[in-house]
Amino acid sequence: MQNDDEMNLSERKKQILLSAVEEYIQAASPITSSVIQKKIVKDLSTATLRNELNALEAMGYLKQLHTSSGRVPTSKGYRFYVNSMMGDIPLDEEVLDEIHALFNKRTVYLGDMVNDIASVISKATNYPTVVMLKGFDKLVVKNIKIIPLLTGQALILIETTSGIISNTMETHSDIPSQSYIDASNLLTSTFKDSTVAEMLKNMPSHKMKMDKEVKEYSEIFETVLNSLKALTERLNQSGNITARGEIKLLNTPEYSDPEEAKKIIDVLSNPDEIKEVFSEDSAEVSFKIGKEIPVEELQGCSIATADYQVDGESIASIGIIGPQRMDYAKIASALKFVVEEFHNIKELPNAKKEDDKDE
């Protein structure tokens, strides 16, 4: 939505401002009237351009770092740029090819997918990336398998439409292997198409029925229930937050000072502050710039976020954190494509039964 200042901008001022922000994003050098004239707006005199830049500075879109230096965009200037470009996000083919390759060779384990997505987006955009799984209990169950292990534990595999959640549980050695197979089939038939939250809610009543029928099933139900409760509690406490590429901040001029970069890295390691950044759910790519960010230590940055949603429920949030001089178009295209790839997941390959990963 345009504010009053944006509505009062002439088309020429809009063109100059957009060109100035784009130039600064690419070159990381203060904007001067001579550079804008030479590279972008060639039909205006330097004097006219200087007057327009002065006006844009007075309106708060640009600022001078020093009296004799050129100008740089303000948070307001970056916001105008983002609002102007979001209607038609260009797709960076190189970024999209790399992300597409990730999904083509994806692991079926949801935790691994979260880690891989954070890594590949950070590599593609060259900025730190955070992925927060925040809708674990909203995932829809498709299949449940319980596989006894030689360690005296059992591996629980819960296949959902968004990947497989796995966890281990303590078992009773005197329960036959066939009972685990039968219990897996019973759990699947009972809870298929339910959410994980619904399964947790209704499992105790089913366990009571098992107490009167098959004691072995009852014990298996109890261990599955306790395991899922512990997993849910752990995920709710940590938010299942994965951060990758924090060190990449040092590659940007704004954070070449390790002390400045450390402030951002410290926030990325704090689950409570990351949750605050992801407090709003949005299926569309959105940007928070400067003081729009609720965490004070990040208010010198810009953050791009998008949610993966199923039936209107946010399952995971993906965020990219960088300087306000970030490449907004490239980042927006990467996030948009990742969300679309999530929605393209239809059938998952069979999980490797011997894989004992704790998601």
Side-chain angles (χ1 to χ4, degrees):
M1 181 180 294
Q2 288 186 325
N3 57 36
D4 291 341
D5 274 354
E6 290 182 13
M7 294 177 67
N8 291 331
L9 283 175
S10 66
E11 288 303 316
R12 185 163 72 183
K13 282 186 174 63
K14 290 179 182 179
Q15 180 188 4
I16 293 171
L17 178 56
L18 291 174
S19 300
V21 175
E22 182 68 33
E23 173 64 20
Y24 186 69
I25 287 173
Q26 299 302 324
S29 298
I31 304 151
T32 64
S33 55
S34 58
V35 168
I36 296 295
Q37 183 195 43
K38 180 179 179 181
K39 292 189 175 182
I40 300 161
V41 190
K42 299 179 180 179
D43 58 341
L44 293 179
S45 68
T46 302
T48 301
L49 273 174
R50 189 178 297 115
N51 288 335
E52 294 286 34
L53 290 171
N54 286 338
L56 289 169
E57 182 179 350
M59 298 174 76
Y61 292 103
L62 302 173
K63 66 180 178 182
Q64 280 189 301
L65 299 179
H66 307 287
T67 305
S68 59
S69 69
R71 297 169 176 84
V72 298
T74 62
S75 296
K76 183 178 178 180
Y78 284 117
R79 169 52 62 193
F80 175 80
Y81 177 80
V82 169
N83 289 348
S84 298
M85 71 151 215
M86 287 302 287
D88 183 22
I89 300 173
L91 299 181
D92 186 311
E93 293 299 328
E94 183 178 348
V95 174
L96 304 191
D97 286 347
E98 188 164 7
I99 295 170
H100 189 64
L102 164 68
F103 276 87
N104 280 343
K105 66 177 182 180
R106 67 185 181 273
T107 171
V108 296
Y109 288 95
L110 193 57
D112 288 348
M113 288 179 67
V114 168
N115 293 337
D116 289 347
I117 288 165
S119 296
V120 77
I121 295 179
S122 179
K123 180 181 177 183
T125 62
N126 213 31
Y127 294 124
T129 300
V130 175
V131 180
M132 185 173 79
L133 183 64
K134 59 182 182 180
F136 161 76
D137 57 347
K138 301 170 188 172
L139 296 174
V140 176
V141 175
K142 292 299 178 186
N143 191 23
I144 300 172
K145 289 184 179 179
I146 307 171
I147 303 167
L149 304 173
L150 296 177
T151 59
Q153 297 177 308
L155 178 64
I156 306 172
L157 300 177
I158 303 175
E159 182 181 351
T160 75
T161 50
S162 298
I164 288 179
I165 305 161
S166 68
N167 202 31
T168 54
M169 67 179 194
E170 297 299 325
T171 62
H172 299 281
S173 58
D174 57 340
I175 297 178
S177 297
Q178 184 61 44
S179 293
Y180 286 103
I181 296 174
D182 294 340
S184 298
N185 293 334
L186 179 59
L187 282 165
T188 298
S189 63
T190 302
F191 297 113
K192 184 177 181 180
D193 296 328
S194 300
T195 65
V196 173
E198 290 168 341
M199 182 169 70
L200 285 169
K201 178 182 177 181
N202 295 324
M203 194 175 286
S205 63
H206 287 279
K207 177 187 173 301
M208 290 177 63
K209 295 178 182 177
M210 292 300 105
D211 287 340
K212 299 177 180 179
E213 297 177 16
V214 184
K215 185 179 179 182
E216 289 175 353
Y217 288 4
S218 175
E219 292 177 354
I220 292 173
F221 270 47
E222 183 175 11
T223 52
V224 170
L225 179 61
N226 291 337
S227 177
L228 287 177
K229 282 181 176 177
L231 178 61
T232 301
E233 183 178 349
R234 176 167 59 83
L235 290 177
N236 286 338
Q237 286 177 347
S238 68
N240 202 23
I241 297 167
T242 299
R244 293 289 184 271
E246 297 95 326
I247 200 68
K248 293 179 183 292
L249 282 173
L250 296 173
N251 298 329
T252 63
E254 292 86 350
Y255 298 105
S256 57
D257 180 352
E259 288 302 314
E260 290 300 313
K262 184 177 181 299
K263 295 177 183 177
I264 311 303
I265 293 171
D266 286 345
V267 172
L268 295 180
S269 63
N270 187 322
D272 290 335
E273 291 186 310
I274 292 299
K275 287 180 182 180
E276 193 173 355
V277 172
F278 288 120
S279 59
E280 298 177 6
D281 296 339
S282 175
E284 300 297 325
V285 177
S286 63
F287 290 90
K288 289 185 175 70
I289 302 170
K291 291 187 176 180
E292 297 170 359
I293 302 170
V295 178
E296 184 177 353
E297 291 82 356
L298 298 179
Q299 290 180 353
C301 305
S302 287
I303 299 178
T305 59
D307 284 2
Y308 165 53
Q309 296 189 345
V310 176
D311 297 329
E313 297 282 1
S314 290
I315 302 301
S317 286
I318 308 164
I320 299 173
I321 300 173
Q324 292 185 19
R325 189 188 52 81
M326 63 165 53
D327 189 336
Y328 292 93
K330 180 178 183 179
I331 287 168
S333 68
L335 283 177
K336 181 180 179 182
F337 192 70
V338 164
V339 172
E340 289 175 350
E341 285 292 290
F342 261 123
H343 283 293
N344 288 336
I345 297 176
K346 299 299 183 184
E347 295 182 0
L348 298 168
N350 291 326
K352 294 180 180 180
K353 293 185 179 181
E354 70 273 17
D355 198 334
D356 183 11
K357 294 190 177 181
D358 184 357
E359 300 288 331

